[in-house]
Amino acid sequence: MQAVDALEEVLARHWGYREFRPLQRQAIETILSGRDSVVVLPTGGGKSLCFQVPALVPGPPGTQALAVIVSPLIALMKDQVDGLRANGVPAACLNSAQSAGERAEATAQVRDGSCRLLYVSPERLVGDGSEGFRQWLRERGVRFVAIDEAHCISQWGHDFRPEYRLLGRLKEEFRGASMHAFTATATTRVRQDIAAQLGLRDPEVLVGPFDRPNLTYRVVPRADARQQIRQVLARHPGEAGIIYCLSRKEVDALADSLRNEGVAALPYHAGLADDVRHAHQDAFIEERVQVMVATVAFGMGIDRPDVRFVLHLGVPRSLEHYQQEAGRAGRDGLPSECVLISSPGDFARWRSLLESSGGMTESDRLHLREMERYAS
């Protein structure tokens, strides 16, 4: 009972919640027990708390205190660290976008033991020339390593990143630390691949419920796309929403059109300058603009709770992509809708894009076939 009280006390003091969501407690207790794990919770299911809370619970005397969190995006880790600090959690990050002074401050916090959660990118942790950094961390003492967006390690996942494969060496190098993989979307095959690639030992595998009764899903055959978009907006006047498009050109054109119609909308895609992208993202998160028109470059780590609709103008490349992107709606538990406007030409377009970028893999074909079945 004492351990339970300690967890609830940490949860209430730093986040203001009175109880855990499904599987959060099991995931936290697995980390505290020192056992490896793979945790799959839907977008909005509270993955981050699963590795943030145990970092604040004291271990047995003589155990290490530092938790290392692997995060794929600098903007995402910055947002998380800023939020943690605002809640009184001693956290820091190390990334290439920081000034020398910021890096020195974070390093000092780790060295003197005041930092409990250190966020790093996979490149910083296992990239070229990172051996000295890992040795430095071993000397500081690492309690556990949590890998966020862990589906990126699997070639069967929906966002495979080769540098994630190198994270498997951490299990051998940080022998006293447990390893934990977190993701919002992972099939059985992907979960098994994650565990194998990371070298996890008898991991606890926790898969949360993906049924979110507050979300209504609609698949609409594409006809007059602009009129179909207006119909969705009319159901949500003045409310927050995300509209995903397949190309940057479509994003820019639709954002301009919506603004001309009086909708507070901004574009977001990788072709915009970094400062513009960050400004647009901040405007959406801070509720200064209600509609974001974007490619899939937008969304990872976005935790605005009151998104009332997510509309896809064109099919995503896999059901896992769609589940993650659509799942950004209704994180506050209130009724929200997810609308997919699709046409047969979307699949031909994806096949052409994939072939031109190096050829379709078996995984690509499988994902597109599943998406076709869903959209038909």
Side-chain angles (χ1 to χ4, degrees):
M1 187 65 182
Q2 185 174 359
V4 171
D5 289 342
L7 296 183
E8 292 176 348
E9 192 275 331
V10 168
L11 184 70
R13 172 157 42 97
H14 292 287
W15 287 276
Y17 300 139
R18 301 182 63 181
E19 58 185 24
F20 290 101
R21 294 181 183 180
L23 292 188
Q24 283 183 325
R25 181 181 295 280
Q26 292 95 314
I28 291 167
E29 291 174 344
T30 298
I31 292 178
L32 293 176
S33 74
R35 182 180 178 184
D36 297 341
S37 67
V38 177
V39 179
V40 185
L41 289 175
T43 301
K47 289 188 289 99
S48 298
L49 280 180
C50 295
F51 52 78
Q52 292 168 348
V53 169
L56 300 179
V57 178
T63 58
Q64 308 299 342
L66 182 66
V68 174
I69 315 302
V70 182
S71 181
L73 294 177
I74 290 175
L76 173 57
M77 69 173 74
K78 181 182 182 302
D79 288 345
Q80 292 230 349
V81 169
D82 288 347
L84 287 168
R85 287 175 171 172
N87 288 338
V89 177
C93 61
L94 284 170
N95 61 64
S96 59
Q98 291 173 306
S99 67
E102 289 171 330
R103 287 195 296 273
E105 180 184 359
T107 299
Q109 290 170 349
V110 174
R111 184 181 293 112
D112 67 21
S114 62
C115 176
R116 303 298 290 272
L117 292 109
L118 177 66
Y119 282 73
V120 297
S121 69
E123 295 84 359
R124 182 73 177 88
L125 193 56
V126 294
D128 292 341
S130 60
E131 294 85 356
F133 178 62
R134 294 196 302 277
Q135 175 62 33
W136 181 77
L137 285 176
R138 287 196 296 272
E139 293 169 356
R140 305 283 80 73
V142 175
R143 186 178 183 185
F144 66 86
V145 178
I147 299 170
D148 203 6
E149 308 296 342
H151 55 272
C152 296
I153 202 172
S154 174
Q155 63 179 330
W156 303 106
H158 67 270
D159 193 16
F160 173 59
R161 301 188 186 191
E163 64 272 13
Y164 259 66
R165 289 286 198 182
L166 301 176
L167 294 171
R169 68 179 59 164
L170 299 179
K171 189 63 182 172
E172 292 301 319
E173 295 193 23
F174 295 92
R175 290 182 176 272
S178 58
M179 297 274 290
H180 307 276
F182 290 86
T183 178
T185 53
T187 62
T188 300
R189 188 178 198 177
V190 172
R191 296 196 296 270
Q192 293 171 344
D193 196 28
I194 289 171
Q197 293 300 326
L198 290 176
L200 304 186
R201 296 169 187 151
D202 185 30
E204 179 80 63
V205 179
L206 301 172
V207 182
F210 282 79
D211 178 29
R212 296 176 60 191
N214 64 308
L215 299 186
T216 298
Y217 288 87
R218 295 185 173 91
V219 179
V220 181
R222 184 165 181 156
D224 182 339
R226 291 298 175 90
Q227 183 58 32
Q228 290 170 310
I229 292 170
R230 291 187 189 100
Q231 290 171 353
V232 174
L233 291 170
R235 292 197 291 269
H236 304 279
E239 295 180 329
I242 304 171
I243 302 176
Y244 285 109
C245 301
L246 295 183
S247 74
R248 301 173 185 179
K249 182 178 179 180
E250 289 172 323
V251 166
D252 289 334
L254 180 56
D256 286 343
S257 175
L258 291 177
R259 284 198 300 273
N260 290 335
E261 295 175 12
V263 178
L266 287 174
Y268 188 103
H269 57 72
L272 297 172
D274 287 348
D275 59 339
V276 174
R277 283 204 316 276
H278 293 156
H280 287 188
Q281 177 172 297
D282 289 345
F284 183 75
I285 293 174
E286 295 167 6
E287 302 182 20
R288 289 182 280 111
V289 67
Q290 296 306 311
V291 177
M292 187 67 78
V293 185
T295 61
V296 293
F298 177 77
M300 188 179 288
I302 299 300
D303 59 0
R304 182 169 173 176
D306 64 339
V307 174
R308 294 279 74 87
F309 69 92
V310 173
L311 188 157
H312 281 76
L313 186 60
V315 299
R317 62 188 289 183
S318 74
L319 276 175
E320 288 179 290
H321 274 98
Y322 185 58
Q323 181 183 32
Q324 190 169 60
E325 292 157 15
R328 291 169 185 135
R331 295 180 64 158
D332 55 7
L334 298 179
S336 307
E337 68 171 328
C338 309
V339 181
L340 173 60
I341 298 175
S342 70
S343 73
D346 295 336
F347 298 100
R349 187 174 177 183
W350 272 119
R351 292 187 177 95
S352 176
L353 287 170
L354 292 168
E355 289 290 357
S356 64
S357 62
M360 289 185 64
T361 65
E362 179 185 348
S363 177
D364 291 331
R365 292 187 179 90
L366 173 64
H367 288 155
L368 281 177
R369 285 198 297 270
E370 291 174 341
M371 197 70 232
E372 281 186 287
R373 285 196 291 270
Y374 175 78
S376 62

